[in-house]
Amino acid sequence: MNDERIEEIGDNHVATSAKTPLRADAFTISDEEKINKIQESVKDILHTLGMDLEDDSIQGTPKRVAKAFVNEIFMGLNPANMPNPSTFDNNYNYGEMLVEKNIVVYSTCEHHLLPIIGRAHVAYISNGKVIGLSKMNRIVEYFSKRPQVQERLTMQIVQAMQEALGTQDVACVIDAKHLCVNSRGIKDIESSTVTSEFGGKFKEKETKKEFLQYLQMDTNF
């Protein structure tokens, strides 16, 4: 891949796969080993940029960055951190859509490793099972905490919910700001990106319209 193609993919937010691109040997070393390796890489970056790594303020930065990458910012790469999406029988026979709005999304653009910050709105219609509300937040968090493209993130949230609930009737809309757009390149601090994934009944015009009305969004979406 040449430099021109690399820039084209990054600037146009092209995703190459609906799955997060992970190597087969992604988990052959421990988190502690990853932290140690990343720490050295961050040292090299800061040194190359001309920073004085003996300064008290920055001396601990490589270790802090490495720990944050492995344990927080990219913790969603590790399947061991996948939340257990506990479900329960829908004993009260609630048959309308359930919508959880304004779930915080804090992710990282995989093209520039800059933050994606926004809100996810997730809905489903029970097919006999219901899921704990906090599990919906945790599913969003898990798939957010990795290098991402917003389109893929939206799809992964829906697919995880569908698998947990045993139904296709799941939808997700994400509205987020990308710092790769806001802080570099065009430097447009006002724009945001909206993506959606509609499954099952949510593909039907009236169901989709009802969901978007809950969100007070354009029903021609």
Side-chain angles (χ1 to χ4, degrees):
M1 185 180 293
N2 58 36
D3 288 347
E4 184 177 341
R5 178 57 175 160
I6 288 170
E7 289 302 316
E8 181 185 8
I9 288 176
D11 288 342
N12 289 290
H13 236 244
V14 175
T16 57
S17 172
K19 293 183 178 181
T20 301
L22 281 169
R23 299 194 322 272
D25 64 348
F27 307 106
T28 56
I29 64 173
S30 69
D31 284 354
E32 191 59 39
E33 290 175 293
K34 288 181 179 181
I35 288 170
N36 290 334
K37 285 177 175 287
I38 293 169
Q39 178 179 350
E40 294 305 312
S41 298
V42 175
K43 279 184 183 178
D44 287 342
I45 291 170
L46 293 174
H47 179 77
T48 301
L49 290 171
M51 301 298 290
D52 179 7
L53 290 166
E54 298 303 314
D55 185 88
D56 288 346
S57 177
I58 203 167
Q59 196 171 53
T61 297
K63 185 63 172 278
R64 286 191 291 266
V65 171
K67 289 173 68 176
F69 273 20
V70 174
N71 297 331
E72 299 175 77
I73 297 171
F74 300 132
M75 70 86 177
L77 288 172
N78 191 338
N81 294 325
M82 174 68 179
N84 178 21
S86 305
T87 58
F88 310 91
D89 291 335
N90 184 8
N91 293 326
Y92 32 85
N93 296 318
Y94 180 73
E96 301 300 319
M97 72 174 68
L98 184 147
V99 182
E100 187 166 3
K101 297 167 57 176
N102 296 318
I103 301 173
V104 172
V105 170
Y106 208 118
S107 190
T108 303
C109 165
E110 70 181 37
H111 296 139
H112 298 95
L113 295 186
L114 289 171
I116 300 170
I117 306 168
R119 303 279 176 171
H121 315 289
V122 183
Y124 73 92
I125 300 171
S126 176
N127 188 29
K129 297 287 184 182
V130 295
I131 192 169
L133 295 179
S134 67
K135 296 300 184 183
M136 297 169 72
N137 297 67
R138 293 187 185 281
I139 287 171
V140 171
E141 179 189 40
Y142 173 70
F143 288 104
S144 296
K145 296 297 187 181
R146 55 179 69 181
Q148 270 291 14
V149 175
Q150 188 172 321
E151 297 92 328
R152 181 197 297 137
L153 173 60
T154 312
M155 294 169 64
Q156 288 177 335
I157 291 167
V158 168
Q159 290 165 3
M161 289 282 293
Q162 288 172 330
E163 183 176 349
L165 289 162
T167 178
Q168 291 297 302
D169 302 335
V170 179
C172 178
V173 172
I174 296 177
D175 185 351
K177 286 182 174 290
H178 293 240
L179 266 68
C180 59
V181 174
N182 301 151
S183 68
R184 58 159 298 282
I186 192 64
K187 297 180 183 176
D188 181 350
I189 63 172
E190 297 297 330
S191 65
S192 67
T193 300
V194 179
T195 51
S196 63
E197 178 76 2
F198 300 106
K201 292 178 182 177
F202 285 94
K203 291 182 180 293
E204 299 172 6
K205 183 177 180 179
E206 288 305 311
T207 309
K208 184 185 296 185
K209 181 178 179 181
E210 182 183 353
F211 173 43
L212 295 175
Q213 284 175 336
Y214 275 120
L215 308 184
Q216 297 180 323
M217 299 181 75
D218 184 358
T219 54
N220 292 319
F221 192 85

